[in-house]
Amino acid sequence: MAVAEQGVLPAVRGTAPDSLVLADGFSCRTQIEQGGTGRRALHLAEVLALALDGNLPSDHPERLADRPDEPSRTARWGTAAAVAALALAAAGAVGALAGPRPAEEVTMSDQPAVDAVEAAVYTVPTDAPEADGTLAWDSTTLVLVTVRSGPTTGLGYTYAPAATAYVVREPLAGTVTGLPAHDVPRANELMCRAVRNAGLPGVAAQAVAAVDIALWDLKARLLGLPLVRLLGAVHDDVPVYGSGGFTTYDSARQERQLRGWTEEQGIPRVKIKIGESWGGREKRDLERVARARAAIGDTAELYVDANGGYTGGQAIRVAGRLGDQDVTWFEEPVSSDHLGTLADIRGRTPMDVTAGEYGYTLPYFAHMLAAGAVDCLQADVTRCGGITVWLRAAALAHAHGLDVSGHCAPHAHAHVAAAVPNLRHLEWFHDHVRIERLLFDGVLDPGGGSVTPGADGAPGLGLTLAEERAAAYRVE
């Protein structure tokens, strides 16, 4: 009924009282009759039978249902039904011979269109100073995109500089507005072409990603479906791992965070940052890993992320020590720009070597996979061009026999992550989890170590902007 409200029911309510409402599908006729239109839809067979009887009135044809049945009339209805079936079959055959209608003929008239694209910027201070091996920060900026079709609004977002909003408002909004709201891959392709001269990798790709996510959210809302149902689920539950353990944390804060995930929330896998000061504090890195293992016990999985802070030889040396603490995931031991070095480290260390979060285009992932650089591909839906491209990156990994892991932005990833067969898990990143809980209602619960997108039946991503809470952090 929600879908019918987008087109069929308003059209029926707007017809003249003496017009004939014709529908050949049972569900469509039922929706018209039960949708508050005050009208009854007739099947083509009914119309033909009444025409054969000469009893087709011009005042209110839906009153024909109240006429008593007669044997001759019943026979004529059977004949008319056969004629109607032949007519419909002939129409289908003619359509098949003529070929499919050009896309331009069907999309603009038969689908809801994108009416508006808007962007807003929110900056949220961290709850403590944060740093990894190669960067420090004290706030995080989220660029929110909303797209509208009639009364329905979809939202998407990316973690990116405020300049991203300008890219959304200028080349992308004009590109997307007016397109069929259901044709998200078309919009994605046109957006990528629109930013050619600006350079797709980086801010432009993040802008494309935010709009793409919003368009998928809009499409699912128009259809009244959770996004995971629109995409088609492979998994009911999406495993998550707790991620944080910043190099700025002291021992007590790191332990509280790790125990919060493993003991309070039941998340059986966690990750901390290492590679502090571009690999300049290797001894402290190893001490922090040992303390992390002591905090979570022997049963939880322990991951580390160097954010490209080590050199190749240093990463191999550190990996040998990490094995003593049963570390099973070594993320970006060196910069992901150096695929050959990553591949070399992968071949010489016992744990999985992972990377991919800085992939802004599909060829980037193809090159990484072809180089044999990773054991698990990390793709970020808010950077790589949105849900459209994330699905393609996951398919590339699947073709290479590898898993994919969603990088950060957990609520932007959850639905699409459930829709791919080679999912390993999703990063439940402290910074982004905190921001998404502040700015949105409808967030997921990772209790037990996984989230279940779409479980409440809410359409789209299931998120709504918490406007009163968010207002304090809006900067543009």
Side-chain angles (χ1 to χ4, degrees):
M1 193 68 73
V3 176
E5 282 290 358
Q6 297 297 324
V8 174
L9 299 184
V12 171
R13 296 186 189 107
T15 58
D18 59 351
S19 62
L20 183 68
V21 180
L22 182 67
D24 64 344
F26 173 78
S27 62
C28 187
R29 297 199 303 276
T30 300
Q31 289 175 344
I32 290 171
E33 292 172 17
Q34 297 179 358
T37 64
R39 306 295 295 274
R40 178 179 181 273
L42 301 177
H43 190 277
L44 179 59
E46 296 179 84
V47 176
L48 289 174
L50 294 166
L52 289 172
D53 281 336
N55 291 328
L56 189 62
S58 59
D59 51 356
H60 289 282
E62 59 266 29
R63 294 175 183 168
L64 294 170
D66 299 328
R67 297 191 175 191
D69 195 15
E70 300 171 1
S72 61
R73 188 160 172 260
T74 301
R76 287 180 180 272
W77 274 47
T79 302
V83 172
L86 287 171
L88 292 171
V94 171
L97 290 171
R101 291 167 61 190
E104 291 76 8
E105 289 186 20
V106 298
T107 54
M108 300 307 293
S109 59
D110 297 352
Q111 293 190 33
V114 177
D115 296 325
V117 179
E118 298 175 347
V121 181
Y122 300 85
T123 296
V124 180
T126 58
D127 57 0
E130 295 178 358
D132 55 34
T134 56
L135 189 69
W137 61 97
D138 58 12
S139 66
T140 299
T141 297
L142 180 147
V143 177
L144 178 72
V145 170
T146 53
V147 294
R148 181 172 54 79
S149 178
T152 306
T153 299
L155 68 82
Y157 58 93
T158 182
Y159 291 96
T164 309
Y166 177 83
V167 181
V168 172
R169 295 179 189 127
E170 291 298 322
L172 299 189
T175 299
V176 169
T177 301
L179 291 179
H182 290 173
D183 294 348
V184 185
R186 178 198 302 214
N188 187 284
E189 179 65 20
L190 292 175
M191 287 191 290
C192 290
R193 294 179 185 181
V195 298
R196 185 199 68 180
N197 288 351
L200 181 58
V203 167
Q206 291 174 290
V208 170
V211 178
D212 183 271
I213 295 167
L215 288 170
W216 278 107
D217 185 49
L218 173 66
K219 180 176 181 177
R221 289 174 187 271
L222 287 170
L223 297 173
L225 295 171
L227 180 56
V228 66
R229 299 293 164 233
L230 173 61
L231 297 173
V234 178
H235 314 280
D236 292 329
D237 300 319
V238 174
V240 301
Y241 67 89
S243 173
F246 302 108
T247 60
T248 46
Y249 282 3
D250 61 21
S251 298
R253 191 177 189 95
Q254 175 179 289
E255 181 172 345
R256 283 198 306 273
Q257 185 180 67
L258 296 177
R259 288 183 179 276
W261 286 323
T262 58
E263 296 177 6
E264 297 174 20
Q265 295 183 296
I267 299 175
R269 53 196 83 83
V270 297
K271 185 176 78 179
I272 69 167
K273 301 289 189 180
I274 61 172
E276 184 177 355
S277 300
W278 289 89
R281 303 195 66 184
E282 185 179 319
K283 180 180 178 182
R284 183 170 186 263
D285 289 340
L286 295 172
E287 290 172 349
R288 291 178 58 249
V289 172
R291 286 196 292 269
R293 173 53 72 192
I296 66 175
D298 296 332
T299 58
E301 297 178 50
L302 180 57
Y303 303 163
V304 297
D305 181 1
N307 286 97
Y310 294 133
T311 63
Q314 184 183 23
I316 293 171
R317 182 174 65 250
V318 169
R321 298 288 303 278
L322 294 176
D324 297 340
Q325 302 299 334
D326 196 23
V327 171
T328 56
W329 171 284
F330 196 178
E331 185 175 332
E332 280 200 308
V334 297
S335 169
S336 55
D337 290 335
H338 305 307
L339 299 181
T341 307
L342 274 176
D344 182 51
I345 296 169
R346 181 190 179 203
R348 298 171 64 180
T349 56
M351 66 281 296
D352 282 352
V353 172
T354 68
E357 65 185 78
Y358 300 113
Y360 293 103
T361 66
L362 195 62
Y364 174 97
F365 298 115
H367 297 325
M368 178 169 279
L369 293 168
V374 295
D375 292 287
C376 179
L377 183 68
Q378 292 178 278
D380 189 324
V381 74
T382 73
R383 290 176 177 168
C384 73
I387 289 168
T388 300
V389 181
W390 199 94
L391 287 167
R392 296 169 185 169
L396 277 178
H398 195 39
H400 283 77
L402 298 179
D403 288 342
V404 65
S405 177
H407 173 263
C408 293
H411 292 90
H413 278 98
H415 289 255
V416 67
V420 298
N422 55 324
L423 172 72
R424 183 173 298 191
H425 44 41
L426 172 59
E427 184 170 8
W428 198 253
F429 182 53
H430 169 77
D431 210 16
H432 293 180
V433 168
R434 176 173 168 268
I435 291 169
E436 289 164 22
R437 285 173 173 167
L438 277 173
L439 300 186
F440 302 122
D441 291 323
V443 295
L444 299 168
D445 179 6
S450 65
V451 295
T452 308
D456 62 357
L461 294 171
L463 300 176
T464 55
L465 180 66
E467 295 188 10
E468 290 188 10
R469 295 199 306 271
Y473 304 101
R474 183 165 182 176
V475 295
E476 184 181 330

